[in-house]
Amino acid sequence: MRTNNTFINRFFSIVILLLSFVFTGCKDNPKKPIVVTKIDTTKIINDYDTAYVGIPLSDTIMQHNKETFVIYGCAYCHGLYLTPVGEAADLRKSTIVGADVNGNLIGKILRNGIPLTAKSSPMPQYSDLKDEEIKAISAYIHYARDIANKTLSDSMVLKK
Ligand code: HEC
């Protein structure tokens, strides 16, 4: 009797196991993990908005600086490569930028803005920028200015 019971128990557990395989195979298991085997780099480049952020720079720190410049809207008025749009000051020629070291003068302008000017879209105030953000933005302005004024020849040539 004892051996018989064990046999029946084993037989049914095997049948149930097989049935469960059959039934779970019939519909998609929603808990099935999605395994990413390959990162499609062409897709990443295609998704990168070159019209907005320009060509990606191989210097990743400078790329970050440029993105900070774009994110805060500077490029919208001053131009991504410092060719000003509308009334904005030409940062390629600005004496303030020329005298700036590590954001010491640019930072002052950003924190205060340039209020009460006759310009219809005046220089906004960025009172809550972090010091690192001012340094990043200033570094990009110096870099793009040096390239625009051809004092820096770089393989990372900025295209217009
Ligand atoms: C809404 C347009 C606009 C935006 C956005 C803007 N600016 Fe300006 N900026 C101006 C204008 C206009 C002037 C010139 C103001 C004047 O001369 O009265 C100016 C002046 C400046 C100057 C002073 C240049 C000089 O020599 O007098 C600096 C530096 C500057 N902007 C940097 C920036 C940076 C960096 C950002 C982004 C954080 C930025 N601006 C965002 C419009 C803008």
Side-chain angles (χ1 to χ4, degrees):
M1 277 304 273
R2 217 176 142 217
T3 37
N4 242 355
N5 260 347
T6 323
F7 172 76
I8 290 167
N9 277 348
R10 281 201 185 146
F11 177 77
F12 274 113
S13 51
I14 286 170
V15 168
I16 288 166
L17 191 71
L18 287 175
L19 281 176
S20 69
F21 278 140
V22 171
F23 280 115
T24 49
C26 285
K27 51 180 179 180
D28 266 347
N29 186 350
K31 283 180 189 158
K32 203 170 148 190
I34 300 163
V35 181
V36 180
T37 49
K38 198 178 143 207
I39 295 170
D40 186 352
T41 49
T42 53
K43 187 161 188 310
I44 290 169
I45 298 294
N46 287 341
D47 287 351
Y48 181 89
D49 191 348
T50 39
Y52 184 54
V53 208
I55 50 160
L57 305 175
S58 54
D59 179 338
T60 49
I61 292 171
M62 197 52 78
Q63 174 67 16
H64 166 81
N65 297 342
K66 179 175 69 167
E67 285 170 12
T68 314
F69 182 81
V70 172
I71 285 165
Y72 282 105
C74 320
Y76 180 75
C77 290
H78 291 283
L80 185 56
Y81 303 125
L82 308 188
T83 307
V85 183
E87 299 176 302
D90 189 336
L91 301 183
R92 296 168 302 184
K93 298 190 181 119
S94 155
T95 45
I96 295 170
V97 174
D100 174 88
V101 179
N102 228 348
N104 65 340
L105 302 179
I106 295 174
K108 273 188 197 137
I109 290 179
L110 296 184
R111 288 249 157 85
N112 300 313
I114 306 181
L116 302 174
T117 75
K119 315 259 178 184
S120 54
S121 58
M123 172 64 201
Q125 181 183 31
Y126 294 86
S127 50
D128 54 356
L129 276 181
K130 295 188 199 111
D131 289 350
E132 306 88 74
E133 289 172 318
I134 287 177
K135 281 190 182 138
I137 290 171
S138 307
Y140 176 71
I141 293 174
H142 286 296
Y143 167 81
R145 177 179 156 119
D146 287 349
I147 287 183
N149 295 337
K150 300 205 166 38
T151 46
L152 178 78
S153 69
D154 202 305
S155 58
M156 298 181 282
V157 182
L158 296 172
K159 288 181 191 149
K160 186 133 184 280

